[in-house]
Amino acid sequence: MKVTIKEVAKEAGVSIATVSRVLNRKGGIKGETVDKVQMAIEKLHYHPDLIARTMIVKETKTVGLVVPKLSNEYWALLSELIQEELWDSGYSLVLCSTDRQIDKERAFMKMFVERQVDGIIYGGLPMNHFRSHEDYTHIERVKERNIPIISFDPNVPGIPCVVGDHLQGAFDAVEHLIRLGHQRIAYIGGPAVGVERELGYRKAFMMNGYPIDEKLMVIGPSESMDFGFAGMTELIASGEPFTAVFCGNDMIALGVMKAAYNAGLQLPEDLAIVGYDDINLAGLFKPMLTTVRQPMRDMSKSVVRELSQIMEDPSLIHVAKKYVFPMELVIRESCGMKKTEHHP
Amino acid sequence: MKVTIKEVAKEAGVSIATVSRVLNRKGGIKGETVDKVQMAIEKLHYHPDLIARTMIVKETKTVGLVVPKLSNEYWALLSELIQEELWDSGYSLVLCSTDRQIDKERAFMKMFVERQVDGIIYGGLPMNHFRSHEDYTHIERVKERNIPIISFDPNVPGIPCVVGDHLQGAFDAVEHLIRLGHQRIAYIGGPAVGVERELGYRKAFMMNGYPIDEKLMVIGPSESMDFGFAGMTELIASGEPFTAVFCGNDMIALGVMKAAYNAGLQLPEDLAIVGYDDINLAGLFKPMLTTVRQPMRDMSKSVVRELSQIMEDPSLIHVAKKYVFPMELVIRESCGMKKTEHHP
DNA sequence: ATGAAAGCGCTAACAC
DNA sequence: GTGTTAGCGCTTTCAT
């Protein structure tokens, strides 16, 4: 049989209220009594029932996290960091991976409210995945219920967000390529990594007065290595000339590298590549990947800090602050050497 | 204010018992009444409170998973697969990453019992991480409380386990190397990946009557790329000759490859490498990694199936069945060509 | 076919 | 300082 607070009380010869008090360190109790209770707890191997507690204090000390995919270093690392931060703040993590299925995302949200999670970190699909605003109601619904929610990376209007400045990051990456003398730069990415990177790409061209060749843009629904491989293979087959490619993320870049090797290209001599995210793998292979680093640690610390704040004062959920983090271009080998160089 | 079963009852003009009945599809209710209740539920946007329900039915529909690290494709993939399987069976996943800290592992277990998870999947540290049997009591404690628990991969005595046959896997890998003509084969691995792989390595040598040069064995506490890199670098520096290396896992193998390249070695000409796990990345780079594949999908399906069974009938926890899965050697490029070949 | 009422294990007034 | 008691939102006998 499960041992409850009652047994402890009897064993210690006090009332259940007293036991509850020492459990919650309320103070105002004789040291002697505290000892008696603690002895009883030890003796009976008593663990308080968090579920019963929740019924009264109305907090589960649980937060839900939604990510699109776990078998991707970026999201795996994020989940790990968040779990750690959360644990340090006394929360457990209920993890849900949607595999990019919108209806799963909805089901998870429903589960979160039924389970009474104290807060939600939403690392789900970017809004451009949803056909209409109406598709986004599962988020609204949560907000209406005053469940603290914060978005990580997808920029969700109306709720607080911690996002990276991907327009800037992509801009810097492409600008770097342009400085290196490239003009025919391909882009392989798409909605799965968000539209900002494509916009940053376009901005760099616009700012430099270069035309964009839409034939060099491979936009697809995925963010995987396989997508990068397929996209690159197709691009090469098209015969369209290009000397560099900017990838929506590092996994795509890895796929692109493989396709380039397959086609007999020398890297970085024949082709410059830049990725995005700076996952661990990025620095591993030759040529080591030039990429855009996201300050993951800072960002995850930030989401849980902000979420905690909202959990403390739920009214804060109505001020949809945005925290945008700067991205950092990490120059390694995959773009080769500058073709021209001057010191001003 | 939160809408409870009471409001629904009033709205529908029935008692809360009736509402509860339609909620749980108990049957024996007039269709008309069911409709009334359902209308009320819709109208009020009622969601049942799973927490309150739990107090009575004593199940949280929650299972806890502990893994050593999430930022490692192997565990990330496993977590993803398990989450998926669990969800399909109606369970939510509470995920905990220990970062290989034993005290964290203990704290998680404690949390699991307080939170009344219905079951636990333990993908924690192999027993050789624990100094003594006494250190393993957190597992025992859980079992004593009759909380269904099953181990994934670490072979934990006394509880059901789903494990890979790593002794066989490692044996096959090293045997392959030997068949290819190698005799000076290094091993880079250690307790983090379990001892079975080392034993498989030794077995292959023993069965072939070759001596083992302990100087070729790099045993360390980690399973990361960095460890592989450092271990390999050190091994090369030692001046000890060798023509092949068997790695405890693919991440280590990747690190080893990098170190080999750094040292100016040609792969696979100068050095044969075989990894373990067959993570996605394994097939990506040149030379594509020969490795040992774990049937992850089958294995994760199996853990949750077995766990479900124990959750249905908790007495099953006392029969510590083991499910051992065969490993499969995947031959790619990193070992080069056979030096001799005959067809019998 | 439905309602009334007794808890589940705990916390939080409110007494003494 | 400590005990008594009223719930939290739900499921489940036991009546009717």
Side-chain angles (χ1 to χ4, degrees):
Chain A
M1 229 5 259
K2 192 164 181 290
V3 20
T4 75
I5 201 171
K6 252 186 195 154
E7 275 81 57
V8 178
K10 195 188 298 171
E11 175 73 29
V14 298
S15 75
I16 59 168
T18 302
V19 178
S20 175
R21 285 183 187 108
V22 344
L23 246 31
N24 298 289
R25 315 186 152 52
K26 292 274 184 199
I29 303 187
K30 237 194 305 183
E32 191 186 328
T33 317
V34 173
D35 289 345
K36 272 195 303 188
V37 172
Q38 243 134 25
M39 304 234 56
I41 290 178
E42 298 271 294
K43 180 171 174 195
L44 303 180
H45 294 300
Y46 168 76
H47 282 244
D49 181 336
L50 254 39
I51 300 290
R53 175 169 213 277
T54 294
M55 290 234 56
I56 306 182
V57 299
K58 261 85 189 68
E59 55 173 26
T60 53
K61 284 295 179 186
T62 280
V63 345
L65 170 63
V66 175
V67 297
K69 212 116 186 51
L70 219 49
S71 51
N72 169 310
E73 198 189 300
Y74 175 81
W75 290 109
L77 175 61
L78 179 79
S79 303
E80 177 166 293
L81 292 174
I82 285 182
Q83 189 267 327
E84 217 177 299
E85 291 296 330
L86 245 23
W87 178 257
D88 289 344
S89 320
Y91 290 89
S92 301
L93 208 222
V94 176
L95 183 75
C96 299
S97 163
T98 65
D99 202 21
R100 304 195 172 282
Q101 293 167 245
I102 296 181
D103 44 334
K104 262 201 177 177
E105 197 171 297
R106 290 211 186 83
F108 289 145
M109 287 299 175
K110 180 157 172 283
M111 182 268 278
F112 285 156
V113 346
E114 291 180 348
R115 240 167 233 296
Q116 323 256 85
V117 298
D118 293 341
I120 298 174
I121 298 177
Y122 177 79
L125 273 5
M127 268 212 75
N128 46 41
H129 263 250
F130 295 87
R131 273 189 309 276
S132 70
H133 220 292
E134 198 179 303
D135 286 348
Y136 231 53
T137 46
H138 56 306
I139 306 282
E140 287 301 326
R141 201 103 68 196
V142 156
K143 193 182 153 193
E144 278 162 17
R145 278 177 197 282
N146 282 307
I147 299 178
I149 181 170
I150 187 166
S151 174
F152 182 92
D153 215 51
N155 201 317
V156 181
I159 68 172
C161 298
V162 168
V163 299
D165 191 346
H166 303 313
L167 201 151
Q168 173 237 317
F171 175 82
D172 289 354
V174 176
E175 184 74 12
H176 174 65
L177 252 13
I178 290 176
R179 288 270 159 72
L180 254 30
H182 297 279
Q183 290 195 28
R184 303 277 306 164
I185 304 170
Y187 172 70
I188 300 186
V193 295
V195 292
E196 288 82 1
R197 301 173 199 197
E198 180 181 334
L199 292 175
Y201 168 94
R202 289 183 184 277
K203 182 177 169 193
F205 273 77
M206 288 159 64
M207 301 274 289
N208 282 278
Y210 293 164
I212 290 176
D213 184 347
E214 303 289 339
K215 292 197 292 300
L216 254 30
M217 311 209 51
V218 181
I219 307 297
S222 165
E223 55 166 352
S224 68
M225 221 160 65
D226 293 339
F227 167 63
F229 183 82
M232 182 63 175
T233 304
E234 183 188 320
L235 198 60
I236 292 175
S238 78
E240 210 64 39
F242 59 99
T243 62
V245 27
F246 169 54
C247 305
N249 71 23
D250 286 348
M251 291 308 282
I252 293 176
L254 259 28
V256 164
M257 282 174 68
K258 189 180 166 82
Y261 277 129
N262 265 16
L265 296 178
Q266 290 295 314
L267 304 183
E269 295 77 8
D270 300 336
L271 184 77
I273 297 179
V274 9
Y276 206 106
D277 287 348
D278 194 25
I279 60 179
N280 244 310
L281 269 13
L284 183 63
F285 290 96
K286 318 189 73 88
M288 294 195 295
L289 195 60
T290 287
T291 187
V292 177
R293 174 178 300 156
Q294 303 209 41
M296 297 300 284
R297 187 139 238 141
D298 292 347
M299 289 174 81
S300 20
K301 270 203 163 57
S302 178
V303 235
V304 347
R305 186 159 13 85
E306 297 310 326
L307 182 62
S308 300
Q309 224 141 92
I310 305 174
M311 292 192 295
E312 262 169 40
D313 176 4
S315 72
L316 285 178
I317 212 203
H318 297 296
V319 2
K321 275 200 245 175
K322 279 204 186 350
Y323 304 83
V324 1
F325 281 72
M327 301 287 108
E328 178 196 356
L329 184 66
V330 180
I331 298 176
R332 286 199 270 251
E333 309 168 347
S334 65
C335 298
M337 293 291 122
K338 284 193 194 188
K339 287 167 182 172
T340 58
E341 184 165 339
H342 17 227
H343 292 281
Chain B
M1 234 0 263
K2 191 164 182 289
V3 20
T4 76
I5 202 173
K6 252 186 195 155
E7 275 81 58
V8 178
K10 195 188 300 172
E11 176 73 29
V14 298
S15 75
I16 60 168
T18 303
V19 177
S20 175
R21 285 185 186 107
V22 344
L23 244 31
N24 299 288
R25 313 186 153 55
K26 291 275 181 194
I29 302 186
K30 240 193 304 182
E32 191 187 328
T33 318
V34 174
D35 289 346
K36 273 194 303 186
V37 171
Q38 242 134 23
M39 304 236 55
I41 289 177
E42 297 271 295
K43 181 171 173 194
L44 302 180
H45 294 299
Y46 169 74
H47 282 244
D49 181 334
L50 254 38
I51 299 291
R53 175 168 211 278
T54 293
M55 289 232 57
I56 306 182
V57 299
K58 262 86 188 69
E59 57 172 26
T60 52
K61 284 296 181 185
T62 280
V63 346
L65 168 64
V66 6
V67 296
K69 211 115 185 54
L70 219 48
S71 51
N72 169 310
E73 199 188 301
Y74 174 81
W75 290 109
L77 176 61
L78 177 80
S79 304
E80 178 167 291
L81 292 174
I82 285 182
Q83 189 266 327
E84 217 176 299
E85 291 297 330
L86 245 23
W87 178 257
D88 289 344
S89 318
Y91 290 90
S92 300
L93 207 222
V94 177
L95 182 76
C96 299
S97 162
T98 65
D99 203 19
R100 301 194 173 283
Q101 293 168 244
I102 296 180
D103 44 334
K104 262 199 178 178
E105 197 172 297
R106 291 212 184 83
F108 289 145
M109 287 299 175
K110 180 156 174 283
M111 181 268 279
F112 285 156
V113 347
E114 291 180 348
R115 240 168 234 296
Q116 324 253 87
V117 298
D118 293 341
I120 298 175
I121 298 176
Y122 178 78
L125 272 6
M127 267 210 77
N128 47 38
H129 263 251
F130 295 88
R131 273 188 308 274
S132 70
H133 221 292
E134 198 180 304
D135 286 349
Y136 232 52
T137 46
H138 55 307
I139 307 282
E140 286 303 325
R141 201 103 66 194
V142 155
K143 192 181 153 194
E144 278 164 19
R145 277 175 197 283
N146 282 306
I147 300 177
I149 181 169
I150 187 167
S151 174
F152 182 92
D153 216 51
N155 201 318
V156 180
I159 68 171
C161 298
V162 167
V163 299
D165 191 347
H166 302 313
L167 202 150
Q168 174 236 317
F171 175 81
D172 289 355
V174 177
E175 184 73 11
H176 174 64
L177 253 12
I178 291 177
R179 287 271 159 72
L180 255 29
H182 297 279
Q183 290 195 29
R184 304 275 307 162
I185 304 171
Y187 171 70
I188 301 186
V193 296
V195 290
E196 288 82 1
R197 302 173 199 198
E198 181 180 333
L199 292 175
Y201 168 93
R202 289 182 184 278
K203 181 177 170 193
F205 273 78
M206 288 159 62
M207 301 275 289
N208 283 277
Y210 293 166
I212 291 176
D213 184 347
E214 303 289 340
K215 293 197 291 299
L216 254 29
M217 311 210 47
V218 181
I219 308 297
S222 166
E223 56 167 352
S224 66
M225 220 160 64
D226 293 340
F227 166 62
F229 183 82
M232 181 62 175
T233 304
E234 184 188 318
L235 199 59
I236 293 175
S238 78
E240 210 62 40
F242 59 100
T243 62
V245 27
F246 169 54
C247 305
N249 71 21
D250 288 347
M251 291 309 283
I252 293 178
L254 260 26
V256 165
M257 283 175 68
K258 189 181 166 85
Y261 278 129
N262 266 16
L265 297 177
Q266 291 294 313
L267 304 183
E269 294 77 8
D270 300 337
L271 183 77
I273 297 179
V274 9
Y276 205 106
D277 288 347
D278 193 26
I279 59 179
N280 244 310
L281 267 15
L284 183 64
F285 290 95
K286 316 190 73 87
M288 294 194 296
L289 194 61
T290 287
T291 187
V292 177
R293 175 179 300 156
Q294 304 209 40
M296 297 300 284
R297 185 139 240 141
D298 292 347
M299 290 174 80
S300 20
K301 270 202 164 57
S302 178
V303 236
V304 346
R305 186 159 14 83
E306 297 310 327
L307 183 62
S308 300
Q309 225 140 91
I310 305 174
M311 292 192 294
E312 262 169 41
D313 176 4
S315 73
L316 285 178
I317 212 199
H318 297 296
V319 3
K321 274 200 245 177
K322 280 209 189 340
Y323 303 85
V324 1
F325 281 73
M327 300 287 108
E328 177 197 356
L329 183 66
V330 180
I331 297 175
R332 285 200 271 251
E333 309 168 347
S334 64
C335 298
M337 294 289 122
K338 282 192 195 190
K339 288 166 181 172
T340 57
E341 184 165 338
H342 15 228
H343 293 282

